Short mmCIF file of all heavy atoms in Angstrom, two decimals:
data_model
loop_
_atom_site.label_atom_id
_atom_site.label_comp_id
_atom_site.label_asym_id
_atom_site.label_seq_id
_atom_site.Cartn_x
_atom_site.Cartn_y
_atom_site.Cartn_z
N VAL B 5 -10.70 -7.16 -8.46
CA VAL B 5 -10.82 -6.30 -9.64
C VAL B 5 -11.60 -7.04 -10.70
O VAL B 5 -11.43 -8.23 -10.92
CB VAL B 5 -9.43 -5.95 -10.17
CG1 VAL B 5 -9.56 -5.09 -11.42
CG2 VAL B 5 -8.64 -5.23 -9.11
N ILE B 8 -11.67 -7.03 -17.51
CA ILE B 8 -12.48 -6.62 -18.65
C ILE B 8 -11.83 -7.07 -19.94
O ILE B 8 -10.71 -7.57 -19.95
CB ILE B 8 -12.73 -5.10 -18.67
CG1 ILE B 8 -11.41 -4.37 -18.82
CG2 ILE B 8 -13.46 -4.66 -17.43
CD1 ILE B 8 -11.60 -2.89 -18.93
N GLU B 17 -13.39 2.55 -26.13
CA GLU B 17 -14.76 2.05 -26.07
C GLU B 17 -14.94 1.01 -24.98
O GLU B 17 -16.05 0.59 -24.68
CB GLU B 17 -15.15 1.43 -27.41
CG GLU B 17 -15.44 2.48 -28.47
CD GLU B 17 -15.61 1.85 -29.84
OE1 GLU B 17 -15.88 0.64 -29.90
OE2 GLU B 17 -15.46 2.58 -30.84
N GLY B 27 -23.16 -6.10 -8.77
CA GLY B 27 -23.81 -6.06 -10.06
C GLY B 27 -25.30 -5.82 -9.94
O GLY B 27 -25.74 -4.86 -9.33
N LEU B 34 -28.07 -3.60 -0.77
CA LEU B 34 -28.32 -2.36 -0.02
C LEU B 34 -29.13 -2.65 1.24
O LEU B 34 -28.83 -2.13 2.31
CB LEU B 34 -29.09 -1.37 -0.90
CG LEU B 34 -28.24 -0.44 -1.75
CD1 LEU B 34 -29.13 0.48 -2.58
CD2 LEU B 34 -27.31 0.39 -0.86
N PRO B 41 -28.97 -3.35 9.82
CA PRO B 41 -28.46 -2.75 11.07
C PRO B 41 -29.39 -1.70 11.63
O PRO B 41 -29.57 -1.61 12.86
CB PRO B 41 -27.12 -2.14 10.65
CG PRO B 41 -26.96 -2.35 9.20
CD PRO B 41 -28.02 -3.24 8.72
N ILE B 47 -35.00 -1.86 16.94
CA ILE B 47 -35.61 -2.81 17.87
C ILE B 47 -34.99 -2.65 19.25
O ILE B 47 -35.70 -2.64 20.28
CB ILE B 47 -35.43 -4.27 17.36
CG1 ILE B 47 -36.30 -4.49 16.11
CG2 ILE B 47 -35.77 -5.28 18.44
CD1 ILE B 47 -36.07 -5.81 15.41
N GLN B 53 -37.11 1.24 25.58
CA GLN B 53 -38.21 2.10 25.99
C GLN B 53 -39.30 1.29 26.69
O GLN B 53 -39.89 1.72 27.67
CB GLN B 53 -38.77 2.83 24.76
CG GLN B 53 -39.96 3.73 25.03
CD GLN B 53 -39.60 4.87 25.97
OE1 GLN B 53 -38.46 5.33 26.01
NE2 GLN B 53 -40.57 5.32 26.76
N ASP B 78 -32.80 18.07 30.58
CA ASP B 78 -32.68 18.71 31.89
C ASP B 78 -31.23 19.09 32.20
O ASP B 78 -30.97 20.16 32.72
CB ASP B 78 -33.20 17.77 33.00
CG ASP B 78 -34.69 17.54 32.89
OD1 ASP B 78 -35.34 18.34 32.15
OD2 ASP B 78 -35.20 16.58 33.49
N ASP B 79 -30.30 18.17 31.89
CA ASP B 79 -28.90 18.38 32.28
C ASP B 79 -28.05 18.91 31.14
O ASP B 79 -26.83 18.88 31.22
CB ASP B 79 -28.30 17.05 32.78
CG ASP B 79 -28.95 16.59 34.07
OD1 ASP B 79 -29.45 17.47 34.81
OD2 ASP B 79 -28.95 15.38 34.35
N ALA B 94 -10.03 14.28 24.41
CA ALA B 94 -9.90 13.11 23.55
C ALA B 94 -9.15 13.46 22.27
O ALA B 94 -8.23 12.75 21.86
CB ALA B 94 -11.28 12.54 23.21
N ASN B 102 -1.22 9.87 17.98
CA ASN B 102 -0.99 9.37 16.63
C ASN B 102 0.24 9.98 15.98
O ASN B 102 0.99 9.29 15.28
CB ASN B 102 -2.23 9.60 15.76
CG ASN B 102 -3.25 8.49 15.91
OD1 ASN B 102 -2.95 7.34 15.60
ND2 ASN B 102 -4.41 8.82 16.44
N PHE B 122 13.54 -0.27 21.16
CA PHE B 122 12.39 0.34 21.82
C PHE B 122 11.10 -0.48 21.75
O PHE B 122 10.21 -0.29 22.55
CB PHE B 122 12.11 1.73 21.23
CG PHE B 122 13.13 2.75 21.65
CD1 PHE B 122 14.10 3.20 20.76
CD2 PHE B 122 13.13 3.24 22.95
CE1 PHE B 122 15.04 4.13 21.15
CE2 PHE B 122 14.08 4.18 23.35
CZ PHE B 122 15.04 4.61 22.46
N GLN B 156 -3.02 17.41 36.67
CA GLN B 156 -4.11 16.43 36.56
C GLN B 156 -4.75 16.48 35.19
O GLN B 156 -5.03 15.44 34.60
CB GLN B 156 -5.16 16.70 37.64
CG GLN B 156 -4.60 16.46 39.04
CD GLN B 156 -5.71 16.31 40.06
OE1 GLN B 156 -6.69 17.03 39.98
NE2 GLN B 156 -5.54 15.40 40.98
N PHE B 170 -0.12 3.15 21.02
CA PHE B 170 0.38 1.82 20.68
C PHE B 170 -0.26 1.19 19.46
O PHE B 170 0.46 0.64 18.62
CB PHE B 170 0.31 0.91 21.91
CG PHE B 170 1.24 1.39 22.98
CD1 PHE B 170 0.76 2.05 24.08
CD2 PHE B 170 2.61 1.26 22.82
CE1 PHE B 170 1.63 2.55 25.04
CE2 PHE B 170 3.48 1.76 23.77
CZ PHE B 170 2.99 2.41 24.89
N ASN B 175 0.67 -0.68 14.08
CA ASN B 175 0.14 -0.70 12.72
C ASN B 175 1.08 -0.05 11.72
O ASN B 175 1.29 -0.56 10.62
CB ASN B 175 -1.20 0.04 12.67
CG ASN B 175 -2.37 -0.91 12.65
OD1 ASN B 175 -2.47 -1.74 11.76
ND2 ASN B 175 -3.22 -0.82 13.64
N PHE B 180 4.77 0.29 7.23
CA PHE B 180 5.95 0.78 6.50
C PHE B 180 6.74 -0.38 5.89
O PHE B 180 7.50 -0.20 4.95
CB PHE B 180 6.87 1.57 7.44
CG PHE B 180 6.34 2.95 7.76
CD1 PHE B 180 6.59 3.53 9.00
CD2 PHE B 180 5.62 3.68 6.83
CE1 PHE B 180 6.12 4.79 9.31
CE2 PHE B 180 5.13 4.94 7.13
CZ PHE B 180 5.39 5.49 8.37
N LEU B 190 12.26 -2.03 -7.98
CA LEU B 190 12.26 -0.97 -9.00
C LEU B 190 12.91 0.30 -8.46
O LEU B 190 13.73 0.94 -9.13
CB LEU B 190 10.82 -0.68 -9.45
CG LEU B 190 10.67 0.47 -10.43
CD1 LEU B 190 11.11 0.03 -11.82
CD2 LEU B 190 9.23 0.96 -10.48
N LEU B 194 16.36 2.16 -9.70
CA LEU B 194 16.44 3.58 -10.06
C LEU B 194 17.37 4.36 -9.13
O LEU B 194 17.45 5.58 -9.23
CB LEU B 194 15.04 4.21 -10.00
CG LEU B 194 14.03 3.68 -11.02
CD1 LEU B 194 12.62 4.13 -10.67
CD2 LEU B 194 14.40 4.13 -12.42
N ALA B 196 16.99 4.99 -6.03
CA ALA B 196 16.22 5.91 -5.20
C ALA B 196 16.86 6.02 -3.81
O ALA B 196 17.39 5.03 -3.29
CB ALA B 196 14.78 5.43 -5.06
N PHE B 202 10.96 6.06 1.24
CA PHE B 202 10.02 6.25 2.33
C PHE B 202 8.80 7.07 1.88
O PHE B 202 7.66 6.68 2.10
CB PHE B 202 10.71 6.94 3.52
CG PHE B 202 9.79 7.09 4.71
CD1 PHE B 202 9.57 6.02 5.56
CD2 PHE B 202 9.15 8.29 4.95
CE1 PHE B 202 8.71 6.14 6.64
CE2 PHE B 202 8.28 8.42 6.03
CZ PHE B 202 8.07 7.34 6.87
N PRO B 212 -3.37 2.59 4.32
CA PRO B 212 -4.49 1.75 4.75
C PRO B 212 -4.33 1.29 6.20
O PRO B 212 -5.30 1.21 6.94
CB PRO B 212 -4.43 0.57 3.78
CG PRO B 212 -3.74 1.09 2.59
CD PRO B 212 -2.73 2.07 3.10
N GLN B 259 -18.91 27.07 27.30
CA GLN B 259 -17.81 27.80 27.91
C GLN B 259 -16.47 27.23 27.47
O GLN B 259 -16.34 26.04 27.24
CB GLN B 259 -17.91 27.71 29.44
CG GLN B 259 -19.12 28.42 30.00
CD GLN B 259 -19.14 28.31 31.50
OE1 GLN B 259 -18.16 28.65 32.15
NE2 GLN B 259 -20.24 27.84 32.04
N LEU B 265 -14.30 23.23 34.47
CA LEU B 265 -15.03 22.04 34.04
C LEU B 265 -14.20 20.77 34.24
O LEU B 265 -13.00 20.81 34.38
CB LEU B 265 -15.35 22.18 32.55
CG LEU B 265 -16.25 23.35 32.22
CD1 LEU B 265 -16.09 23.73 30.79
CD2 LEU B 265 -17.67 22.97 32.54
N GLY B 267 -15.09 17.68 32.39
CA GLY B 267 -15.33 16.68 31.36
C GLY B 267 -16.44 15.73 31.75
O GLY B 267 -16.92 15.73 32.88
#
Side-chain angles (χ1 to χ4, degrees):
Chain B
V5 178
I8 63 177
E17 284 171 20
L34 271 179
I47 290 172
Q53 178 63 30
D78 293 345
D79 293 334
N102 275 298
F122 288 106
Q156 294 197 320
F170 295 104
N175 258 302
F180 285 148
L190 176 76
L194 295 167
F202 183 81
Q259 293 181 54
L265 298 158

